């Protein structure tokens, strides 16, 4: 079974600044994938970034980057140059190597201030 | 490609009534998932279909819940004898790849309120 922990229920960030969202995980699978999704108030879950457990480099997608520390079992999301449209709930999720499904954390609400 | 479509967007019902939700996945996606999300929490897995076969069901899916995916296309989720604790957002997702990096594409959800 996979377990995802997001300990920050809410965060405020000033526009144009960077913010780091914490995610730790627990799994017994030797191989797994880690995902981050964004959920704005409209409700739809939007995929942001993926990191494979055996990937040598940290994943980056535009303003999103993933700080992957395998030994610590953490996969923190960094959003650079925050924009007002980044205000949303952010979820960390993972899939084990034999899993069909994604398991999600409880999420972190990000509010960007002008 | 119009994305994952869910209907209705909102449903208000009285306790004890039956409700049915529909999900239309992205057309070429053979994998379909249902999740439930309560306020301030992450989505919780309910069930998974590969084509028309229901391959996994969560223990959250009580006997009052049933899901179908006839012909491997759209899917329905029915809740019988609704209870107030069933109030939640019901999310549908689909995917094409079962590879580790295969992401799920989500619909906008059906918000259920049981009075």
């Amino acid at each position: 079974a996979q377990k995802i922990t997001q300990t920050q229920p809410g965060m405020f960030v000033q526009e144009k600044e960077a913010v780091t969202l914490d995610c730790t995980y627990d799994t017994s699978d030797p191989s797994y994938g880690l995902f981050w999704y964004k959920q704005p108030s409209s409700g739809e879950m939007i995929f942001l970034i993926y990191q494979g457990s055996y990937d040598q480099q940290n994943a980056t997608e535009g303003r999103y980057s993933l700080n992957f520390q395998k030994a610590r079992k953490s996969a923190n999301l960094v959003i650079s140059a925050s924009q007002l449209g980044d205000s949303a709930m952010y979820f960390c999720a993972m899939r084990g190597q034999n899993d069909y499904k994604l398991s999600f954390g409880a999420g972190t609400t990000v509010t960007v201030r002008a | 490609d119009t994305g994952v479509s869910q209907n209705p967007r909102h449903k208000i019902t009285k306790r004890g009534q039956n409700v049915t939700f529909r999900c239309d996945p992205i057309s070429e996606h053979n994998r379909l998932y249902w999740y439930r999300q309560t306020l301030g929490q992450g989505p919780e897995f309910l069930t998974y279909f590969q084509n028309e076969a229901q391959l996994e069901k969560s223990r959250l899916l009580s006997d009052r819940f049933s899901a179908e995916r006839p012909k491997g296309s759209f899917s329905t989720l029915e809740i019988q004898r609704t209870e107030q604790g069933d109030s939640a957002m019901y999310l549908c997702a689909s995917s094409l790849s079962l590879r580790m990096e295969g992401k799920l594409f989500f619909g906008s959800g059906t918000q259920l309120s049981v009075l």
Side-chain angles (χ1 to χ4, degrees):
Chain A
Q2 329 300 339
K3 184 177 179 183
I4 298 284
T5 302
Q6 295 180 254
T7 58
Q8 307 153 308
M11 297 188 71
F12 292 92
V13 59
Q14 205 66 29
E15 196 177 9
K16 299 181 185 177
E17 292 186 348
V19 61
T20 299
L21 308 183
D22 295 341
C23 172
T24 58
Y25 60 90
D26 192 21
T27 181
S28 56
D29 285 349
S31 179
Y32 49 88
L34 295 153
F35 300 75
W36 277 90
Y37 279 82
K38 171 185 178 181
Q39 187 178 42
S41 56
S42 59
E44 185 176 350
M45 300 280 284
I46 302 167
F47 167 78
L48 296 178
I49 195 166
Y50 168 82
Q51 178 82 45
S53 60
Y54 284 101
D55 291 345
Q56 295 297 314
Q57 292 188 324
N58 286 343
T60 60
E61 288 283 353
R63 294 186 299 111
Y64 304 108
S65 59
L66 208 151
N67 183 3
F68 179 49
Q69 298 187 47
K70 192 171 182 179
R72 292 188 171 188
K73 293 189 175 181
S74 74
N76 298 339
L77 177 71
V78 180
I79 306 174
S80 62
S82 296
Q83 302 171 356
L84 295 178
D86 294 335
S87 293
M89 201 147 180
Y90 290 81
F91 293 97
C92 182
M94 76 177 298
R95 170 191 278 138
Q97 64 180 29
N98 296 316
D99 258 337
Y100 302 119
K101 64 186 180 293
L102 294 185
S103 299
F104 287 83
T108 296
T109 301
V110 172
T111 304
V112 180
R113 291 170 163 162
Chain B
D1 179 359
T2 58
V4 178
S5 176
Q6 291 189 247
N7 288 288
R9 286 298 311 275
H10 304 275
K11 179 70 177 178
I12 300 174
T13 190
K14 292 183 178 179
R15 188 177 53 181
Q17 298 293 305
N18 298 345
V19 294
T20 300
F21 310 141
R22 176 176 171 128
C23 171
D24 288 272
I26 295 172
S27 58
E28 66 269 25
H29 287 187
N30 59 346
R31 307 176 194 284
L32 187 144
Y33 305 76
W34 284 99
Y35 282 81
R36 180 172 70 186
Q37 185 180 19
T38 52
L39 194 62
Q41 296 299 314
E44 296 173 297
F45 171 76
L46 292 179
T47 191
Y48 162 73
F49 289 86
Q50 182 172 319
N51 299 311
E52 66 275 9
Q54 188 174 22
L55 296 186
E56 188 174 348
K57 289 168 57 174
S58 163
R59 281 171 290 183
L60 292 174
L61 216 63
S62 75
D63 291 344
R64 296 185 297 105
F65 287 71
S66 62
E68 294 182 343
R69 192 183 183 198
K71 301 179 183 178
S73 56
F74 71 92
S75 176
T76 58
L77 178 67
E78 180 183 17
I79 308 175
Q80 297 182 327
R81 305 181 302 282
T82 52
E83 301 172 357
Q84 288 183 328
D86 297 331
S87 295
M89 174 79 85
Y90 290 84
L91 292 166
C92 177
S94 69
S95 72
L96 180 60
S97 171
L98 193 56
R99 294 177 55 152
M100 190 77 70
E101 64 270 28
K103 61 189 177 188
L104 271 59
F105 293 80
F106 283 84
S108 296
T110 295
Q111 181 67 52
L112 173 66
S113 298
V114 181
L115 304 178

